[in-house]
């Protein structure tokens, strides 16, 4: 199993089939906060759906992981990934989320710094992207703190919570890191 110890009790690791209960509970705990910006909680409403989702994620991670869980003090607290990989153009789009109780403590910054380095060094990406909902202020600040530059706006790009939402595109090139 791939895992990387960061600092201050933070570990990055791949999701395993044995994580069904813990992952399902994590999503259910985060459901209300996730649905504001993401659709992940709709995909794992039952434990059966969670098992299917984990099997899919494990398949995506074979042979080279692109989706990781964030653990803090041995407890699952979030997820980071390249949820879109473009081998031809050597790029990846970053996705992430963290339980609200763990936000504001540098956990996501450390986790994404790992993912950025992993993307450029291991996956040999030339470019990374983040697409962030217009009103998600914390994520916009995080992208800028990590060195991403705003590149444009995708008008009404996602249908979320009964309305179309604009997404801001941020990019980071390997030579700019």
């Amino acid at each position: 199993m791939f895992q990387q110890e960061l600092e201050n009790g933070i570990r990055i690791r791949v999701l395993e089939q044995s994580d069904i209960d813990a992952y399902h509970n994590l999503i259910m705990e985060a459901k209300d906060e996730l649905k504001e910006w993401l659709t992940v909680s709709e995909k794992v409403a039952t434990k059966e759906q969670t098992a299917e989702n984990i099997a899919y994620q494990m398949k995506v991670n074979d042979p080279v992981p692109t989706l990781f869980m964030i653990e803090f003090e041995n407890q699952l607290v979030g997820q980071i990934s390249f949820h879109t990989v473009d081998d031809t153009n050597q790029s990846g789009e970053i996705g992430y989320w963290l339980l609200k109780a763990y936000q504001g403590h540098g956990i996501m910054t450390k986790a994404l710094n790992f993912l950025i380095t992993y993307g450029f060094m291991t996956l040999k990406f030339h470019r990374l992207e983040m697409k962030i909902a217009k009103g998600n202020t914390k994520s916009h600040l995080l992208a800028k703190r990590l060195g991403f530059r705003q590149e444009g706006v995708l008008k009404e790009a996602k249908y979320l919570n009964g309305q179309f939402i604009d997404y801001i595109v941020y990019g980071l090139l390997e030579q700019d890191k």
Side-chain angles (χ1 to χ4, degrees):
M1 170 177 87
F2 177 94
Q3 63 181 359
Q4 178 72 43
E5 298 288 334
L6 301 182
E7 56 188 78
N8 302 328
I10 303 167
R11 181 184 333 171
I12 304 300
R13 68 172 180 84
V14 295
L15 195 60
E16 297 182 328
Q17 200 64 41
S18 62
D19 288 322
I20 292 172
D21 288 337
Y23 187 61
H24 182 75
N25 292 339
L26 176 67
I27 297 290
M28 292 303 102
E29 183 178 345
K31 186 176 184 171
D32 289 339
E33 56 200 72
L34 288 175
K35 71 179 182 181
E36 186 173 0
W37 307 116
L38 304 169
T39 58
V40 67
S41 61
E42 297 169 9
K43 298 175 185 174
V44 292
T46 68
K47 284 195 180 180
E48 291 77 23
Q49 289 174 316
T50 301
E52 290 171 12
N53 184 273
I54 288 174
Y56 168 77
Q57 291 182 39
M58 289 174 67
K59 186 176 177 183
V60 167
N61 277 350
D62 185 33
V64 179
T66 57
L67 188 146
F68 304 93
M69 298 309 300
I70 304 168
E71 281 188 353
F72 181 69
E73 298 178 349
N74 298 315
Q75 180 178 332
L76 294 180
V77 296
Q79 191 170 2
I80 55 174
S81 68
F82 291 110
H83 60 92
T84 303
V85 172
D86 182 340
D87 292 324
T88 302
N89 294 304
Q90 300 171 7
S91 66
E93 181 185 342
I94 292 175
Y96 57 94
W97 59 270
L98 186 69
L99 286 175
K100 193 171 200 150
Y102 296 90
Q103 295 174 12
H105 303 287
I107 294 171
M108 187 55 76
T109 300
K110 288 175 180 63
L112 287 177
N113 272 321
F114 157 79
L115 192 67
I116 290 165
T117 300
Y118 181 82
F120 287 138
M121 302 299 288
T122 302
L123 301 178
K124 305 297 184 197
F125 288 148
H126 171 71
R127 171 187 168 75
L128 302 178
E129 286 185 356
M130 296 172 105
K131 294 176 183 167
I132 302 169
K134 186 175 182 181
N136 191 343
T137 305
K138 289 180 181 180
S139 283
H140 290 282
L141 293 172
L142 177 61
K144 292 173 185 174
R145 187 167 52 252
L146 292 167
F148 284 76
R149 293 188 184 134
Q150 183 176 332
E151 296 180 338
V153 178
L154 301 173
K155 299 297 287 179
E156 299 185 4
K158 298 252 184 182
Y159 189 74
L160 198 58
N161 300 317
Q163 61 183 343
F164 287 98
I165 305 290
D166 293 350
Y167 269 65
I168 312 300
V169 178
Y170 290 87
L172 179 67
L173 299 178
E174 181 181 17
Q175 69 255 25
D176 294 336
K177 184 61 183 158

